[in-house]
Amino acid sequence: MSMPTIFVSHGSPTLILNDVPARGFLASLGKELPKPTAIVAVSAHWNTDVPAVSLARRPGTIHDFYGFPDALYQLRYDAPGAPVLAERVARLTGAAHDPHRGLDHGAWVPALLGWPEADIPIFQLSVQPDESPAHHIALGRKLAPLRDEGVLVMGSGSATHNLRALVRSGAASEPEPWAQAFDDWLADAVARGDEAALAGYRSQAPYAEANHPSDEHLLPLHVAYGAAGEGARGRPLHRSFTLGNLSMAAYAFG
């Protein structure tokens, strides 16, 4: 059976320290899926002009954030890299090589929660914020053969991502209608496998600009969708909100 592809919303870096539903979901991820032979992590936090893959044999844990609790900076994810597979992904996609890139929090936070044993090889593939969602769907399609080898393509971003609108007080709050409307639209488009809608979300989704002032946090979803192959549909793995308007939705495609 082919491995599904997934998209997860990784939230704030402090998600890994907080007792919220999304953390509980990510902690169950390894039980929700067959154990991968390797993980290709497509994170919203590695942005390049052209696709690039990380070939590090022992990717370091990148703490790419500032002003957070000290406990967060003590966390490490010491899984091995997969340079041979990464080189193959580079050939499939035409991606450039980065021999030193480690794992940013878009990769290591969900990986540490889902596969805490750190025994699955993992490496990253970058996104190109100056390119379209359609470009990223096409990029994902080039990864589709990996599914039959048990490789998990994991897009990691955010189903909604407007940092200026977040409720940072820590108090629980219902998402505002503009965030809920976009989140519901996305869930429907994913369930229908509507490639045209997903590629054209900027003009088709309600409140697209309010939910995504820039594209980079949704582009990993487009890669995961593309990697599931032609005609793929998605199913929800989890839906919740944190910080008021930050959707933590996650989907499996296949």
Side-chain angles (χ1 to χ4, degrees):
M1 184 178 72
S2 292
M3 179 71 69
T5 68
I6 63 170
F7 168 77
V8 299
S9 296
H10 58 252
S12 165
T14 54
L15 174 77
I16 201 166
L17 304 177
N18 296 335
D19 184 15
V20 294
R23 184 191 187 283
F25 156 69
L26 288 172
S28 74
L29 196 55
K31 300 179 181 67
E32 294 272 344
L33 302 168
K35 186 173 182 178
T37 57
I39 299 171
V40 183
V42 185
S43 169
H45 292 279
W46 190 16
N47 299 169
T48 57
D49 292 334
V50 298
V53 293
S54 55
L55 275 71
R57 293 187 176 276
R58 280 284 171 185
T61 304
I62 304 172
H63 297 87
D64 51 335
F65 40 75
Y66 304 94
F68 287 94
D70 288 344
L72 202 54
Y73 299 95
Q74 304 308 312
L75 295 175
R76 297 289 185 276
Y77 192 64
D78 293 325
V84 174
L85 180 60
E87 174 61 43
R88 182 169 168 224
V89 167
R91 292 195 300 271
L92 287 171
T93 62
H97 298 171
D98 188 320
H100 306 298
R101 172 82 183 187
L103 303 174
D104 62 54
H105 78 272
W108 68 259
V109 166
L112 178 57
L113 287 169
W115 300 275
E117 299 85 359
D119 59 350
I120 300 170
I122 183 172
F123 65 97
Q124 289 194 222
L125 172 67
S126 66
V127 296
Q128 295 74 63
D130 290 336
E131 298 287 352
S132 67
H135 161 90
H136 288 83
I137 293 172
L139 178 64
R141 290 264 157 81
K142 296 174 183 178
L143 304 177
L146 302 180
R147 296 177 59 214
D148 291 334
E149 301 167 24
V151 176
L152 176 65
V153 177
M154 178 180 73
S156 178
S158 192
T160 66
H161 192 260
N162 186 335
L163 299 185
R164 292 186 178 183
L166 299 184
V167 179
R168 299 181 184 274
S169 65
S173 61
E174 291 295 319
E176 293 180 76
W178 55 267
Q180 188 68 68
F182 182 92
D183 199 51
D184 290 343
W185 178 92
L186 183 63
D188 179 66
V190 163
R192 290 185 288 108
D194 191 334
E195 182 171 340
L198 292 171
Y201 88 95
R202 280 267 169 220
S203 61
Q204 297 194 36
Y207 308 105
E209 183 68 23
N211 283 280
H212 287 283
S214 56
D215 285 329
E216 78 288 334
H217 270 76
L218 198 59
L219 296 176
L221 180 144
H222 294 97
V223 177
Y225 167 73
E230 296 278 353
R233 296 186 178 214
R235 60 182 175 88
L237 296 175
H238 176 79
R239 292 185 69 189
S240 68
F241 280 84
T242 64
L243 299 173
N245 297 310
L246 192 64
S247 171
M248 297 303 298
Y251 297 98
F253 299 94

